[in-house]
Amino acid sequence: MPRCRVTRRVHFNAAHRLHNPARPDAWNAATFGVCNNPNFHGHNSDLDISVEGEVNPDSGYVLDLNTLKQVTEDRVLQHLDHKNLNLDVAWFAHLNPTSENLAIVIWRELRAAVPGELALSVRLWETPRNYVEYAGA
Ligand code: NI
């Protein structure tokens, strides 16, 4: 059976501050630069969600994109979009909201809702030039 990878791209914006409270302020400033700004700052992020698997011979789909759209809105976007990641989002109460950690958390949320026979990967664009990928390692 042929296999395809299907991707949906969504967008969200959110504020954050990168900070490790276990390390001194100077370390945080040197490590995170402007992302350590005490009063937060915003990012406009694109998120590509890909599922890969066999094309169903009855539907011709790997997964109905409307299903992926709904799952993404319910499990990811409603938690993140227009939020302060540090203050508003329980996932980051004790986790530094880097793009790496964001990609991992998003993947875990989606993995619980995407059929198990489909491979899942996410690509989080923190800027048009930088992205992080996670596929469950
Ligand atoms: Ni930042």
Side-chain angles (χ1 to χ4, degrees):
M1 200 62 67
R3 297 175 68 85
C4 286
R5 178 181 293 176
V6 178
T7 300
R8 177 171 171 78
R9 173 169 290 185
V10 297
H11 180 83
F12 65 93
N13 62 65
H16 77 166
R17 181 195 190 199
L18 301 184
H19 186 79
N20 181 347
R23 302 301 302 266
D25 285 349
W27 181 92
N28 277 286
T31 301
F32 299 121
V34 293
C35 278
N36 186 237
N37 178 41
N39 290 328
F40 310 100
H41 62 278
H43 288 269
N44 286 303
S45 301
D46 281 316
L47 174 66
D48 297 337
I49 299 148
S50 298
V51 293
E52 196 232 301
E54 291 186 354
V55 177
N56 182 301
D58 293 325
S59 65
Y61 289 160
V62 171
L63 178 67
D64 186 336
L65 276 176
N66 271 322
T67 303
L68 194 55
K69 175 179 186 226
Q70 199 61 53
V71 162
T72 302
E73 286 177 0
D74 293 347
R75 300 193 75 113
V76 176
L77 295 180
Q78 77 160 348
H79 296 289
L80 301 178
D81 194 27
H82 288 75
K83 298 293 171 62
N84 180 313
L85 300 181
N86 303 73
L87 301 181
D88 299 331
V89 183
W91 300 331
F92 300 106
H94 305 289
L95 182 67
N96 205 14
T98 61
S99 291
E100 288 87 339
N101 284 333
L102 201 43
I104 292 164
V105 164
I106 290 167
W107 183 91
R108 287 178 177 159
E109 282 297 309
L110 292 172
R111 182 69 280 180
V114 169
E117 68 273 20
L118 301 179
L120 172 69
S121 59
V122 300
R123 177 182 289 185
L124 177 67
W125 295 84
E126 72 176 352
T127 74
R129 296 176 193 280
N130 301 332
Y131 65 78
V132 172
E133 288 181 306
Y134 187 65

mmCIF file of all heavy atoms in Angstrom, residues 35-69:
data_model
loop_
_atom_site.group_PDB
_atom_site.id
_atom_site.type_symbol
_atom_site.label_atom_id
_atom_site.label_comp_id
_atom_site.label_asym_id
_atom_site.label_seq_id
_atom_site.Cartn_x
_atom_site.Cartn_y
_atom_site.Cartn_z
ATOM 1 N N CYS A 35 15.666 36.916 24.905
ATOM 2 C CA CYS A 35 14.561 36.045 25.314
ATOM 3 C C CYS A 35 14.485 35.905 26.832
ATOM 4 O O CYS A 35 13.556 35.293 27.358
ATOM 5 C CB CYS A 35 14.656 34.676 24.644
ATOM 6 S SG CYS A 35 13.991 34.664 22.959
ATOM 7 N N ASN A 36 15.467 36.472 27.558
ATOM 8 C CA ASN A 36 15.448 36.504 29.025
ATOM 9 C C ASN A 36 14.814 37.791 29.570
ATOM 10 O O ASN A 36 14.708 37.967 30.787
ATOM 11 C CB ASN A 36 16.887 36.329 29.560
ATOM 12 C CG ASN A 36 16.956 36.203 31.073
ATOM 13 O OD1 ASN A 36 17.637 36.981 31.745
ATOM 14 N ND2 ASN A 36 16.270 35.228 31.627
ATOM 15 N N ASN A 37 14.366 38.654 28.689
ATOM 16 C CA ASN A 37 13.750 39.913 29.113
ATOM 17 C C ASN A 37 12.708 39.671 30.209
ATOM 18 O O ASN A 37 11.759 38.906 30.006
ATOM 19 C CB ASN A 37 13.091 40.580 27.892
ATOM 20 C CG ASN A 37 12.380 41.857 28.257
ATOM 21 O OD1 ASN A 37 12.888 42.641 29.039
ATOM 22 N ND2 ASN A 37 11.201 42.063 27.691
ATOM 23 N N PRO A 38 12.846 40.318 31.385
ATOM 24 C CA PRO A 38 11.957 39.988 32.514
ATOM 25 C C PRO A 38 10.474 40.181 32.222
ATOM 26 O O PRO A 38 9.640 39.488 32.801
ATOM 27 C CB PRO A 38 12.430 40.946 33.616
ATOM 28 C CG PRO A 38 13.836 41.287 33.266
ATOM 29 C CD PRO A 38 13.899 41.277 31.762
ATOM 30 N N ASN A 39 10.154 41.139 31.355
ATOM 31 C CA ASN A 39 8.741 41.421 31.111
ATOM 32 C C ASN A 39 8.194 40.757 29.847
ATOM 33 O O ASN A 39 7.208 41.215 29.274
ATOM 34 C CB ASN A 39 8.515 42.929 31.059
ATOM 35 C CG ASN A 39 8.685 43.556 32.434
ATOM 36 O OD1 ASN A 39 8.388 42.927 33.443
ATOM 37 N ND2 ASN A 39 9.189 44.774 32.476
ATOM 38 N N PHE A 40 8.863 39.670 29.446
ATOM 39 C CA PHE A 40 8.351 38.850 28.343
ATOM 40 C C PHE A 40 8.503 39.551 26.983
ATOM 41 O O PHE A 40 8.887 40.724 26.916
ATOM 42 C CB PHE A 40 6.886 38.430 28.575
ATOM 43 C CG PHE A 40 6.647 37.828 29.930
ATOM 44 C CD1 PHE A 40 6.105 38.592 30.959
ATOM 45 C CD2 PHE A 40 6.981 36.512 30.188
ATOM 46 C CE1 PHE A 40 5.901 38.050 32.226
ATOM 47 C CE2 PHE A 40 6.774 35.969 31.449
ATOM 48 C CZ PHE A 40 6.235 36.741 32.468
ATOM 49 N N HIS A 41 8.221 38.799 25.931
ATOM 50 C CA HIS A 41 8.227 39.307 24.560
ATOM 51 C C HIS A 41 7.472 38.291 23.727
ATOM 52 O O HIS A 41 7.235 37.163 24.181
ATOM 53 C CB HIS A 41 9.663 39.485 24.045
ATOM 54 C CG HIS A 41 10.394 38.191 24.005
ATOM 55 N ND1 HIS A 41 10.985 37.655 25.112
ATOM 56 C CD2 HIS A 41 10.556 37.289 23.015
ATOM 57 C CE1 HIS A 41 11.507 36.481 24.798
ATOM 58 N NE2 HIS A 41 11.258 36.223 23.531
ATOM 59 N N GLY A 42 7.111 38.664 22.517
ATOM 60 C CA GLY A 42 6.257 37.796 21.714
ATOM 61 C C GLY A 42 6.957 37.164 20.539
ATOM 62 O O GLY A 42 7.971 37.669 20.052
ATOM 63 N N HIS A 43 6.403 36.045 20.110
ATOM 64 C CA HIS A 43 6.831 35.392 18.868
ATOM 65 C C HIS A 43 5.599 35.043 18.042
ATOM 66 O O HIS A 43 4.581 34.633 18.584
ATOM 67 C CB HIS A 43 7.570 34.080 19.151
ATOM 68 C CG HIS A 43 8.934 34.272 19.724
ATOM 69 N ND1 HIS A 43 10.062 34.373 18.948
ATOM 70 C CD2 HIS A 43 9.360 34.361 21.008
ATOM 71 C CE1 HIS A 43 11.130 34.515 19.724
ATOM 72 N NE2 HIS A 43 10.733 34.519 20.985
ATOM 73 N N ASN A 44 5.748 35.183 16.735
ATOM 74 C CA ASN A 44 4.758 34.661 15.797
ATOM 75 C C ASN A 44 5.302 33.354 15.261
ATOM 76 O O ASN A 44 6.353 33.337 14.616
ATOM 77 C CB ASN A 44 4.533 35.633 14.632
ATOM 78 C CG ASN A 44 3.736 36.832 15.083
ATOM 79 O OD1 ASN A 44 2.634 36.699 15.584
ATOM 80 N ND2 ASN A 44 4.311 38.019 14.901
ATOM 81 N N SER A 45 4.602 32.273 15.538
ATOM 82 C CA SER A 45 5.120 30.944 15.219
ATOM 83 C C SER A 45 4.227 30.240 14.208
ATOM 84 O O SER A 45 2.999 30.309 14.300
ATOM 85 C CB SER A 45 5.180 30.083 16.485
ATOM 86 O OG SER A 45 6.004 30.700 17.451
ATOM 87 N N ASP A 46 4.872 29.545 13.283
ATOM 88 C CA ASP A 46 4.153 28.596 12.433
ATOM 89 C C ASP A 46 4.443 27.201 12.944
ATOM 90 O O ASP A 46 5.544 26.921 13.454
ATOM 91 C CB ASP A 46 4.603 28.719 10.968
ATOM 92 C CG ASP A 46 3.959 29.899 10.274
ATOM 93 O OD1 ASP A 46 2.745 30.101 10.452
ATOM 94 O OD2 ASP A 46 4.675 30.623 9.557
ATOM 95 N N LEU A 47 3.464 26.355 12.805
ATOM 96 C CA LEU A 47 3.588 24.976 13.273
ATOM 97 C C LEU A 47 3.121 24.047 12.158
ATOM 98 O O LEU A 47 1.978 24.149 11.706
ATOM 99 C CB LEU A 47 2.721 24.784 14.524
ATOM 100 C CG LEU A 47 2.611 23.370 15.071
ATOM 101 C CD1 LEU A 47 3.955 22.875 15.598
ATOM 102 C CD2 LEU A 47 1.540 23.321 16.175
ATOM 103 N N ASP A 48 4.025 23.182 11.705
ATOM 104 C CA ASP A 48 3.682 22.183 10.692
ATOM 105 C C ASP A 48 3.509 20.843 11.392
ATOM 106 O O ASP A 48 4.417 20.375 12.085
ATOM 107 C CB ASP A 48 4.801 22.050 9.649
ATOM 108 C CG ASP A 48 5.028 23.326 8.856
ATOM 109 O OD1 ASP A 48 4.101 24.146 8.783
ATOM 110 O OD2 ASP A 48 6.131 23.473 8.308
ATOM 111 N N ILE A 49 2.344 20.245 11.199
ATOM 112 C CA ILE A 49 2.040 18.951 11.811
ATOM 113 C C ILE A 49 1.911 17.933 10.698
ATOM 114 O O ILE A 49 1.088 18.096 9.794
ATOM 115 C CB ILE A 49 0.729 19.036 12.610
ATOM 116 C CG1 ILE A 49 0.865 20.059 13.729
ATOM 117 C CG2 ILE A 49 0.340 17.678 13.167
ATOM 118 C CD1 ILE A 49 -0.420 20.757 14.026
ATOM 119 N N SER A 50 2.733 16.895 10.745
ATOM 120 C CA SER A 50 2.753 15.899 9.677
ATOM 121 C C SER A 50 2.375 14.538 10.214
ATOM 122 O O SER A 50 2.837 14.116 11.276
ATOM 123 C CB SER A 50 4.162 15.807 9.061
ATOM 124 O OG SER A 50 4.526 17.044 8.481
ATOM 125 N N VAL A 51 1.527 13.857 9.449
ATOM 126 C CA VAL A 51 1.203 12.457 9.734
ATOM 127 C C VAL A 51 1.559 11.651 8.503
ATOM 128 O O VAL A 51 1.374 12.093 7.362
ATOM 129 C CB VAL A 51 -0.280 12.263 10.107
ATOM 130 C CG1 VAL A 51 -0.587 12.940 11.434
ATOM 131 C CG2 VAL A 51 -1.201 12.779 9.026
ATOM 132 N N GLU A 52 2.102 10.469 8.756
ATOM 133 C CA GLU A 52 2.524 9.630 7.648
ATOM 134 C C GLU A 52 2.001 8.218 7.850
ATOM 135 O O GLU A 52 2.049 7.687 8.968
ATOM 136 C CB GLU A 52 4.055 9.606 7.587
ATOM 137 C CG GLU A 52 4.588 9.079 6.272
ATOM 138 C CD GLU A 52 5.606 7.976 6.468
ATOM 139 O OE1 GLU A 52 6.626 8.217 7.126
ATOM 140 O OE2 GLU A 52 5.349 6.874 5.968
ATOM 141 N N GLY A 53 1.455 7.663 6.759
ATOM 142 C CA GLY A 53 0.949 6.303 6.850
ATOM 143 C C GLY A 53 0.409 5.855 5.507
ATOM 144 O O GLY A 53 0.555 6.537 4.487
ATOM 145 N N GLU A 54 -0.223 4.690 5.536
ATOM 146 C CA GLU A 54 -0.772 4.127 4.306
ATOM 147 C C GLU A 54 -2.003 4.915 3.859
ATOM 148 O O GLU A 54 -2.785 5.375 4.689
ATOM 149 C CB GLU A 54 -1.170 2.668 4.534
ATOM 150 C CG GLU A 54 0.027 1.756 4.752
ATOM 151 C CD GLU A 54 -0.384 0.291 4.825
ATOM 152 O OE1 GLU A 54 -1.595 -0.008 4.819
ATOM 153 O OE2 GLU A 54 0.538 -0.543 4.882
ATOM 154 N N VAL A 55 -2.131 5.037 2.558
ATOM 155 C CA VAL A 55 -3.320 5.664 1.992
ATOM 156 C C VAL A 55 -4.467 4.657 2.068
ATOM 157 O O VAL A 55 -4.369 3.545 1.533
ATOM 158 C CB VAL A 55 -3.073 6.091 0.531
ATOM 159 C CG1 VAL A 55 -4.333 6.685 -0.076
ATOM 160 C CG2 VAL A 55 -1.921 7.099 0.462
ATOM 161 N N ASN A 56 -5.518 5.040 2.763
ATOM 162 C CA ASN A 56 -6.680 4.161 2.909
ATOM 163 C C ASN A 56 -7.339 3.934 1.541
ATOM 164 O O ASN A 56 -7.689 4.904 0.861
ATOM 165 C CB ASN A 56 -7.661 4.816 3.882
ATOM 166 C CG ASN A 56 -8.878 3.952 4.137
ATOM 167 O OD1 ASN A 56 -9.613 3.616 3.211
ATOM 168 N ND2 ASN A 56 -9.084 3.602 5.380
ATOM 169 N N PRO A 57 -7.500 2.683 1.131
ATOM 170 C CA PRO A 57 -8.030 2.441 -0.220
ATOM 171 C C PRO A 57 -9.475 2.892 -0.374
ATOM 172 O O PRO A 57 -9.914 3.185 -1.498
ATOM 173 C CB PRO A 57 -7.889 0.925 -0.398
ATOM 174 C CG PRO A 57 -7.726 0.365 0.975
ATOM 175 C CD PRO A 57 -7.137 1.437 1.828
ATOM 176 N N ASP A 58 -10.215 2.970 0.688
ATOM 177 C CA ASP A 58 -11.616 3.399 0.587
ATOM 178 C C ASP A 58 -11.730 4.909 0.459
ATOM 179 O O ASP A 58 -12.473 5.420 -0.377
ATOM 180 C CB ASP A 58 -12.398 2.933 1.826
ATOM 181 C CG ASP A 58 -12.517 1.417 1.873
ATOM 182 O OD1 ASP A 58 -12.643 0.797 0.796
ATOM 183 O OD2 ASP A 58 -12.461 0.859 2.980
ATOM 184 N N SER A 59 -11.003 5.644 1.304
ATOM 185 C CA SER A 59 -11.145 7.106 1.317
ATOM 186 C C SER A 59 -10.122 7.798 0.428
ATOM 187 O O SER A 59 -10.335 8.932 -0.003
ATOM 188 C CB SER A 59 -10.989 7.636 2.754
ATOM 189 O OG SER A 59 -9.671 7.386 3.220
ATOM 190 N N GLY A 60 -9.001 7.136 0.177
ATOM 191 C CA GLY A 60 -7.905 7.818 -0.511
ATOM 192 C C GLY A 60 -7.132 8.768 0.377
ATOM 193 O O GLY A 60 -6.269 9.512 -0.107
ATOM 194 N N TYR A 61 -7.399 8.742 1.676
ATOM 195 C CA TYR A 61 -6.740 9.621 2.644
ATOM 196 C C TYR A 61 -5.744 8.837 3.514
ATOM 197 O O TYR A 61 -5.967 7.654 3.796
ATOM 198 C CB TYR A 61 -7.759 10.211 3.628
ATOM 199 C CG TYR A 61 -8.716 11.253 3.095
ATOM 200 C CD1 TYR A 61 -9.890 11.506 3.801
ATOM 201 C CD2 TYR A 61 -8.457 11.990 1.958
ATOM 202 C CE1 TYR A 61 -10.790 12.468 3.356
ATOM 203 C CE2 TYR A 61 -9.344 12.963 1.513
ATOM 204 C CZ TYR A 61 -10.512 13.193 2.214
ATOM 205 O OH TYR A 61 -11.391 14.147 1.797
ATOM 206 N N VAL A 62 -4.726 9.542 3.994
ATOM 207 C CA VAL A 62 -3.951 9.048 5.140
ATOM 208 C C VAL A 62 -4.731 9.368 6.419
ATOM 209 O O VAL A 62 -4.906 8.521 7.296
ATOM 210 C CB VAL A 62 -2.548 9.700 5.170
ATOM 211 C CG1 VAL A 62 -1.820 9.377 6.475
ATOM 212 C CG2 VAL A 62 -1.722 9.229 3.974
ATOM 213 N N LEU A 63 -5.181 10.612 6.495
ATOM 214 C CA LEU A 63 -6.024 11.066 7.612
ATOM 215 C C LEU A 63 -6.807 12.261 7.083
ATOM 216 O O LEU A 63 -6.241 13.119 6.403
ATOM 217 C CB LEU A 63 -5.151 11.490 8.803
ATOM 218 C CG LEU A 63 -5.872 12.036 10.032
ATOM 219 C CD1 LEU A 63 -6.698 10.946 10.711
ATOM 220 C CD2 LEU A 63 -4.876 12.614 11.034
ATOM 221 N N ASP A 64 -8.077 12.305 7.385
ATOM 222 C CA ASP A 64 -8.900 13.438 6.967
ATOM 223 C C ASP A 64 -8.318 14.718 7.578
ATOM 224 O O ASP A 64 -8.166 14.815 8.795
ATOM 225 C CB ASP A 64 -10.332 13.205 7.468
ATOM 226 C CG ASP A 64 -11.310 14.249 6.966
ATOM 227 O OD1 ASP A 64 -10.874 15.381 6.631
ATOM 228 O OD2 ASP A 64 -12.505 13.942 6.922
ATOM 229 N N LEU A 65 -7.979 15.691 6.734
ATOM 230 C CA LEU A 65 -7.350 16.913 7.247
ATOM 231 C C LEU A 65 -8.276 17.697 8.174
ATOM 232 O O LEU A 65 -7.804 18.447 9.027
ATOM 233 C CB LEU A 65 -6.865 17.792 6.095
ATOM 234 C CG LEU A 65 -5.481 17.400 5.561
ATOM 235 C CD1 LEU A 65 -5.112 18.239 4.353
ATOM 236 C CD2 LEU A 65 -4.414 17.547 6.634
ATOM 237 N N ASN A 66 -9.573 17.505 8.020
ATOM 238 C CA ASN A 66 -10.482 18.141 8.979
ATOM 239 C C ASN A 66 -10.307 17.570 10.379
ATOM 240 O O ASN A 66 -10.444 18.291 11.373
ATOM 241 C CB ASN A 66 -11.940 17.980 8.531
ATOM 242 C CG ASN A 66 -12.361 19.112 7.624
ATOM 243 O OD1 ASN A 66 -11.964 20.263 7.830
ATOM 244 N ND2 ASN A 66 -13.150 18.785 6.615
ATOM 245 N N THR A 67 -10.008 16.289 10.455
ATOM 246 C CA THR A 67 -9.723 15.674 11.760
ATOM 247 C C THR A 67 -8.466 16.283 12.358
ATOM 248 O O THR A 67 -8.432 16.649 13.543
ATOM 249 C CB THR A 67 -9.544 14.151 11.594
ATOM 250 O OG1 THR A 67 -10.719 13.611 11.000
ATOM 251 C CG2 THR A 67 -9.271 13.477 12.922
ATOM 252 N N LEU A 68 -7.425 16.413 11.534
ATOM 253 C CA LEU A 68 -6.176 16.994 12.027
ATOM 254 C C LEU A 68 -6.382 18.451 12.444
ATOM 255 O O LEU A 68 -5.848 18.903 13.467
ATOM 256 C CB LEU A 68 -5.106 16.880 10.934
ATOM 257 C CG LEU A 68 -3.660 17.112 11.350
ATOM 258 C CD1 LEU A 68 -3.254 16.185 12.493
ATOM 259 C CD2 LEU A 68 -2.733 16.904 10.152
ATOM 260 N N LYS A 69 -7.171 19.183 11.674
ATOM 261 C CA LYS A 69 -7.477 20.568 12.007
ATOM 262 C C LYS A 69 -8.158 20.666 13.368
ATOM 263 O O LYS A 69 -7.772 21.481 14.223
ATOM 264 C CB LYS A 69 -8.392 21.152 10.921
ATOM 265 C CG LYS A 69 -8.894 22.542 11.202
ATOM 266 C CD LYS A 69 -9.777 23.055 10.076
ATOM 267 C CE LYS A 69 -10.135 24.512 10.340
ATOM 268 N NZ LYS A 69 -11.554 24.761 10.131
#
